[in-house]
Amino acid sequence: DQLIQDCDVVYLLTDTRESRWLPTVMAAAYNKMMINAALGLDSWLVMRHGGDTRINSSLGCYFCNDVVAPENSTRNRTLDQQCTVTRPGLAPVAGSMAVELMVSLLHHSEQHNAPAPRNSTTFSPIVTDATASPLGLMPHQIRGSLVSYTMMNPTVPAFSCCTGCSSSILNAYENNNVDFMCQAAYSVSGTYLEDISGLTAFRAQAERLFDNVDEDWEIDS
């Protein structure tokens, strides 16, 4: 905890998805710049986390696309499915992109809280003066593939029920971080984090909406 508070930049380079959860929470709670790099067999992701969502951050973290809590991702998976085996060229490409993204952010007045380019229907994102540093573009995510030799720069907003950076999760961590971490670790099914973040209620509401759509469809039919 103290290491996160004292540092300027946190690089998230761990192997499994669940191992990235606690550093994500800590960096968001202390509004630290976090650069995340993840490798697949033939694809890679480099992204910047948005910081403390309770202040003014609108960019999502690594877990903002998830509708379930982190769990054991190595269970019942082969080595290649665990993202342990990668093509040799992935690591240097992702590593260099991560460093360059950090340097670009450090040259912007808002650093990791700087806005990202808006998504576009064309190949190039929409860039303004606010979303660029003196060194150029500051994307939210860089997703690359060695299958097609392409890269894209999606921008993903913060999710209000995220198990990694939502305000309810950050408040729970700050109120009693030791108890919070123990409860999360003991909750093998992930329900503890899902209940706190609001994911449980979110999924229940989604199911009710789907049920209503099915009923309307049956009536119309």
Side-chain angles (χ1 to χ4, degrees):
D1 186 274
Q2 193 62 48
L3 287 174
I4 298 293
Q5 294 185 53
D6 294 341
C7 74
D8 296 313
V9 181
V10 181
Y11 274 90
L12 192 52
L13 309 172
T14 56
D15 193 24
T16 62
R17 190 173 190 83
E18 59 273 18
S19 65
R20 299 169 187 261
W21 171 76
L22 183 56
T24 295
V25 174
M26 297 168 71
Y30 298 118
N31 197 29
K32 294 292 184 177
M33 181 186 298
M34 172 166 275
I35 305 295
N36 190 356
L39 305 180
L41 175 63
D42 47 27
S43 61
W44 52 269
L45 163 70
V46 170
M47 67 177 293
R48 56 180 170 115
H49 288 204
D52 193 340
T53 53
R54 298 167 298 182
I55 301 176
N56 59 1
S57 178
S58 60
L59 296 179
C61 74
Y62 188 67
F63 298 94
C64 277
N65 285 335
D66 295 350
V67 291
V68 294
E71 56 184 15
N72 187 356
S73 63
T74 62
R75 182 177 54 199
N76 300 325
R77 291 189 179 186
T78 59
L79 282 176
D80 60 312
Q81 291 176 326
Q82 296 176 26
C83 298
T84 302
V85 180
T86 65
R87 290 174 60 173
L90 282 181
V93 172
S96 60
M97 288 290 177
V99 172
E100 289 296 336
L101 179 58
M102 177 200 70
V103 174
S104 293
L105 290 171
L106 291 175
H107 280 77
H108 192 279
S109 59
E110 297 184 54
Q111 297 194 359
H112 62 289
N113 292 315
R118 299 198 314 273
N119 291 324
S120 172
T121 56
T122 62
F123 184 77
S124 300
I126 301 173
V127 183
T128 64
D129 291 340
T131 60
S133 80
L135 297 180
L137 188 67
M138 298 182 303
H140 179 216
Q141 298 184 12
I142 309 169
R143 292 181 176 269
S145 170
L146 285 183
V147 175
S148 58
Y149 291 93
T150 56
M151 292 189 298
M152 58 180 181
N153 306 126
T155 297
V156 180
F159 179 34
S160 60
C161 299
C162 176
T163 58
C165 69
S166 63
S167 58
S168 55
I169 291 291
L170 302 186
N171 290 333
Y173 176 80
E174 288 191 343
N175 290 338
N176 191 336
N177 55 12
V178 175
D179 180 68
F180 171 73
M181 289 185 293
C182 289
Q183 293 286 350
Y186 291 146
S187 178
V188 179
S189 62
T191 55
Y192 176 74
L193 292 178
E194 293 175 355
D195 291 342
I196 290 181
S197 65
L199 266 181
T200 302
F202 176 83
R203 289 204 302 265
Q205 182 183 12
E207 289 176 2
R208 289 193 297 269
L209 292 175
F210 278 123
D211 290 340
N212 292 335
V213 170
D214 290 339
E215 291 175 1
D216 293 341
W217 177 261
E218 291 175 0
I219 294 173
D220 293 339
S221 299

